[in-house]
Amino acid sequence: MSVRSTARRLTALVTAAGLTLALLMSGPAFADAGFRQWVSAFRATAVAGGVSGAVYDQSMRGLEPDPVVLEKARTQPEFTAPAWDYFDNRVHDQSVANGQAMAKKWKPWLDRIEARFGVDRNILLAIWSMESNYGETLKRDDIMRNVVRSLATLAYGDPKRSKYARTQLISALKILQTGDIDESHLMGSWAGAMGQTQFIPTSYQRYAVDMDGNGKRDIWNSIPDALATSANLLRKNGWQAGKTWGYEVTIPAGKLPGGAKTIAQWQALGVARASGKPFKNLTDKATLKVPDGRGGPAFLMIRNFSVIKAYNNADKYALAVGLLADEISGGTGLVQDWQRPFTKLSFEERQELQKRLSEHGYYDGKFDGKIGDGSKAAIIAYQAKVGLSQDGYPSMEVLKWLRKQ
């Protein structure tokens, strides 16, 4: 990172930190002096964007900035997690079992959605898992926030996200204007992502579907609406019905060419399905990816992989959706596992690890099996206490030590 870019980054962090501190310390006085002035000035922009004055006034009346939102914006991680860390937190035995249970529970609606949009139901279930843990995240008051308040806070107090937030705020107010949801239930993430499948307001406006036919496009409370909305996004971005997202493959030694080639061309270069099964369509164009290096699993990604990235433009996200969907549908998982420098725990064992760390006074979070920064910090503290290498890995080795205590 250059000195100039480092300086810009530090300036942005200091600015955000200062705004957060002002909000935390000054409260309503700060809102009255600065935020309320911004709310008044932004009204003309919102009205010009199609929001009625009455809806704007009602939604913004008495609104104060949310200091938690600016704190979240300031502290978002910028490091790159290793492949195993990302996938272990998202593709595991519990997310697969929950997906299979949801497939049974919502089968009649999934039949209709799949018939109407042509999108594989297991992909939709995997997205639902990735975005809100099959709706469980929406029940958490520590995560869900008022969308209008969050976006207004970012629009006013976060220079880095203000343009995004202003656009999204106008769209959120239009959602209220249509009557699809009322203000008290217009809840989302700190950055304004909403509902079971986490749509930002502009994407909601573009893709939302009233699948259950009750006259409202309710992605918060209607599972059919939420899954159909995701299916509509994928279809409109080019989903190819009846095709997969890609294949796990084995690759020969030596350098392989880059770029897209037909599967027949890859096959001629020595690339084969890791499962030993034949490829389904040799004329499909595919790109080879090795997200964990040559020692980890390799994949040929076809068109639908890129379509999933229309939901979240990250290879890891799209791959996690594809892998989880395959296991929900009954697949056996990866043939070549990630290059994990420890013995992997099951989901229940990860919960046990968190519980035992809590019992020893190292961890105060939820026993959710997800190993985030809090869990890693607790593991490192425990490893330091007992003389183990301080790597923060959620390993069987650490769990065995805890079980002996």
Side-chain angles (χ1 to χ4, degrees):
M1 182 178 291
S2 69
V3 172
R4 182 177 295 176
S5 61
T6 301
R8 284 199 302 264
R9 173 173 161 72
L10 288 172
T11 299
L13 287 174
V14 169
T15 299
L19 286 167
T20 302
L21 184 61
L23 287 171
L24 290 171
M25 295 182 66
S26 302
F30 174 80
D32 290 343
F35 183 70
R36 295 310 306 171
Q37 184 178 357
W38 177 86
V39 167
S40 178
F42 190 67
R43 186 181 191 276
T45 302
V47 170
V51 178
S52 77
V55 167
Y56 187 87
D57 294 341
Q58 174 63 33
S59 302
M60 306 297 275
R61 183 177 294 119
L63 202 66
E64 295 178 3
D66 186 341
V68 174
V69 167
L70 284 184
E71 181 65 18
K72 292 281 188 183
R74 185 179 67 84
T75 60
Q76 285 306 292
E78 297 186 9
F79 61 88
T80 301
W84 57 262
D85 190 34
Y86 184 89
F87 292 100
D88 283 356
N89 273 329
R90 293 162 177 83
V91 186
H92 48 72
D93 46 354
Q94 191 62 53
S95 61
V96 172
N98 288 344
Q100 291 171 340
M102 292 299 175
K104 292 179 181 178
K105 179 177 181 179
W106 295 101
K107 182 181 183 304
W109 281 109
L110 288 166
D111 288 343
R112 297 182 203 178
I113 293 168
E114 202 169 60
R116 177 172 168 181
F117 297 98
V119 177
D120 181 353
R121 68 188 63 203
N122 298 300
I123 291 289
L124 300 176
L125 290 166
I127 288 173
W128 189 15
S129 175
M130 292 280 289
E131 297 296 341
S132 71
N133 188 23
Y134 304 104
E136 289 301 308
T137 302
L138 275 64
K139 302 174 184 177
R140 292 183 55 177
D141 293 337
D142 60 323
I143 294 177
M144 304 308 294
R145 317 198 72 76
N146 179 285
V147 169
V148 170
R149 186 185 184 198
S150 294
L151 292 172
T153 298
L154 291 172
Y156 171 68
D158 184 355
K160 186 168 66 172
R161 295 178 176 86
S162 62
K163 183 177 179 181
Y164 155 85
R166 292 178 187 199
T167 300
Q168 298 306 320
L169 177 57
I170 290 173
S171 286
L173 293 169
K174 287 181 178 179
I175 293 170
L176 293 176
Q177 193 163 286
T178 63
D180 283 323
I181 195 79
D182 63 76
E183 187 176 354
S184 65
H185 293 95
L186 185 65
M187 305 295 286
S189 71
W190 66 269
M194 312 176 304
Q196 300 280 335
T197 45
Q198 293 291 277
F199 275 70
I200 59 174
T202 52
S203 293
Y204 172 95
Q205 296 277 33
R206 191 175 300 123
Y207 301 113
V209 173
D210 174 20
M211 189 68 194
D212 61 17
N214 71 347
K216 297 180 184 296
R217 300 174 299 168
D218 185 357
I219 63 172
W220 296 265
N221 305 297
S222 169
I223 304 306
D225 286 8
L227 297 180
T229 296
S230 294
N232 192 35
L233 180 153
L234 295 175
R235 183 189 66 173
K236 288 188 174 180
N237 279 278
W239 183 268
Q240 296 181 327
K243 291 192 176 183
T244 184
W245 57 272
Y247 305 91
E248 184 188 358
V249 297
T250 58
I251 55 178
K255 187 174 181 179
L256 288 168
K261 306 183 187 322
T262 66
I263 288 179
Q265 289 173 319
W266 285 116
Q267 210 167 27
L269 291 168
V271 177
R273 284 190 72 177
S275 65
K277 298 177 181 178
F279 292 106
K280 292 181 179 179
N281 191 336
L282 296 179
T283 63
D284 282 335
K285 285 286 188 76
T287 303
L288 179 67
K289 292 184 181 289
V290 284
D292 199 20
R294 274 187 164 266
F299 305 92
L300 281 183
M301 311 300 199
I302 65 172
R303 169 64 181 165
N304 283 343
F305 177 81
S306 297
V307 176
I308 297 170
K309 289 178 66 176
Y311 216 104
N312 181 325
N313 190 27
D315 280 359
K316 284 182 180 178
Y317 176 89
L319 180 54
V321 168
L323 293 174
L324 181 54
D326 284 355
E327 291 200 46
I328 290 172
S329 69
T332 56
L334 292 173
V335 175
Q336 173 63 51
D337 204 356
W338 306 106
Q339 299 182 86
R340 198 179 290 102
F342 57 90
T343 304
K344 180 183 178 182
L345 299 177
S346 70
F347 183 81
E348 287 188 355
E349 287 168 339
R350 286 152 73 95
Q351 289 178 306
E352 180 189 350
L353 177 73
Q354 291 171 323
K355 184 177 181 181
R356 289 182 181 275
L357 286 168
S358 176
E359 290 171 349
H360 285 79
Y362 294 98
Y363 178 68
D364 62 359
K366 295 182 179 295
F367 308 148
D368 58 6
K370 293 185 177 181
I371 307 301
D373 291 343
S375 296
K376 290 173 186 174
I379 293 169
I380 289 171
Y382 176 75
Q383 288 171 326
K385 175 72 173 180
V386 299
L388 297 174
S389 176
Q390 297 169 45
D391 51 39
Y393 296 152
S395 66
M396 178 56 74
E397 293 76 13
V398 170
L399 181 56
K400 285 180 177 178
W401 271 82
L402 282 163
R403 285 171 174 171
K404 290 189 295 185
Q405 300 297 308

